[in-house]
Amino acid sequence: MGSTYSAVCPGCGGSPKPGTNICEFCGKELFITTFNPLFNMNFPDVNKYMRSYSSGGFGETDEQRAKRLMALGLCQLKLKLYDKAAQSFEEVVNIAYDCAEAYYCAAVCVFKGNRPFLSNIKSVERAEQLLSAALSVSGKGIYYLFAAFIKKDFYERKFYKTSPSSRDYKAEADKLGVPQGDKTSLEQLLNTRIDI
């Protein structure tokens, strides 16, 4: 049944060969997997991609559905549709519990485009739970940097005791390395400069 599924390129509308993630006609990704490709994309193009990801194809496997929902959630996040994006990421982890990027993006959604300092403790704790899940699957530098920023911006700015500290998480982020594109994307999503 999985062989009947055919993806349509959100960029050009072409029908690339099954099993590929790059369109052979326009060279664009069929399924966006991180926020970075959307960073400089204009809103009409993001909307075009989002419409493409909004409905599944006949015979879609769980893996294909998870990829499509992840890409949909990223587009929704770019358009600041935080609740819808969070729902898409939740569906992804219900299918693929080991998708660290979905947990990370769901944690970003919790703050709804604001810095952690402006949130309540329940929201911050929820974001930390999601980040903890991401870190348990894959220890990427950006996940540690985000955790460090939450600690510094919410707990330490409000003089709450917290452990591990922002310095502990920042040390891990430095050890693993954080690509500038990842940091810039997170800053754009939280509408603030990450100064740690």
Side-chain angles (χ1 to χ4, degrees):
M1 195 161 179
S3 61
T4 60
Y5 176 78
S6 65
V8 174
C9 175
C12 69
S15 296
K17 294 176 188 164
T20 183
N21 192 41
I22 303 294
C23 177
E24 61 195 87
F25 305 107
C26 70
K28 294 185 178 173
E29 283 184 84
L30 298 181
F31 296 105
I32 295 168
T33 57
T34 66
F35 190 76
N36 289 350
L38 294 167
F39 184 67
N40 291 318
M41 195 180 284
N42 63 42
F43 289 116
D45 282 345
V46 176
N47 271 312
K48 185 168 70 168
Y49 272 67
M50 191 168 73
R51 280 192 304 277
S52 174
Y53 298 140
S54 290
S55 62
F58 174 73
E60 185 180 47
T61 65
D62 281 349
E63 181 183 352
Q64 291 161 336
R65 182 168 182 254
K67 278 183 177 180
R68 180 179 59 77
L69 287 168
M70 184 69 198
L72 175 63
L74 289 165
C75 291
Q76 291 165 330
L77 186 55
K78 169 72 175 181
L79 296 174
K80 302 181 188 310
L81 302 171
Y82 302 109
D83 293 335
K84 289 181 184 246
Q87 187 176 13
S88 294
F89 298 132
E90 185 177 322
E91 287 185 56
V92 171
V93 297
N94 285 338
I95 299 165
Y97 67 90
D98 60 347
C99 183
E101 196 70 14
Y103 290 113
Y104 164 70
C105 290
V108 170
C109 289
V110 168
F111 296 113
K112 299 184 183 222
N114 294 309
R115 59 186 309 145
F117 182 79
L118 301 173
S119 297
N120 61 45
I121 188 70
K122 285 186 117 178
S123 296
V124 170
E125 287 174 345
R126 177 65 181 143
E128 287 181 309
Q129 288 170 343
L130 291 162
L131 263 180
S132 178
L135 287 167
S136 70
V137 174
S138 172
K140 285 177 68 175
I142 190 63
Y143 303 164
Y144 281 105
L145 184 66
F146 188 20
F149 185 61
I150 291 170
K151 292 288 188 176
K152 182 176 183 189
D153 196 59
F154 184 81
Y155 292 100
E156 294 168 11
R157 278 188 69 195
K158 295 184 180 194
F159 302 101
Y160 293 156
K161 290 185 179 182
T162 184
S163 181
S165 71
S166 63
R167 287 182 304 281
D168 297 329
Y169 281 124
K170 178 68 165 69
E172 284 299 316
D174 290 344
K175 194 185 315 178
L176 293 167
V178 178
Q180 185 58 44
D182 288 353
K183 183 180 178 192
T184 303
S185 294
L186 183 58
E187 288 176 335
Q188 184 187 46
L189 291 167
L190 298 176
N191 294 310
T192 192
R193 190 168 160 265
I194 296 177
D195 51 351
I196 298 180

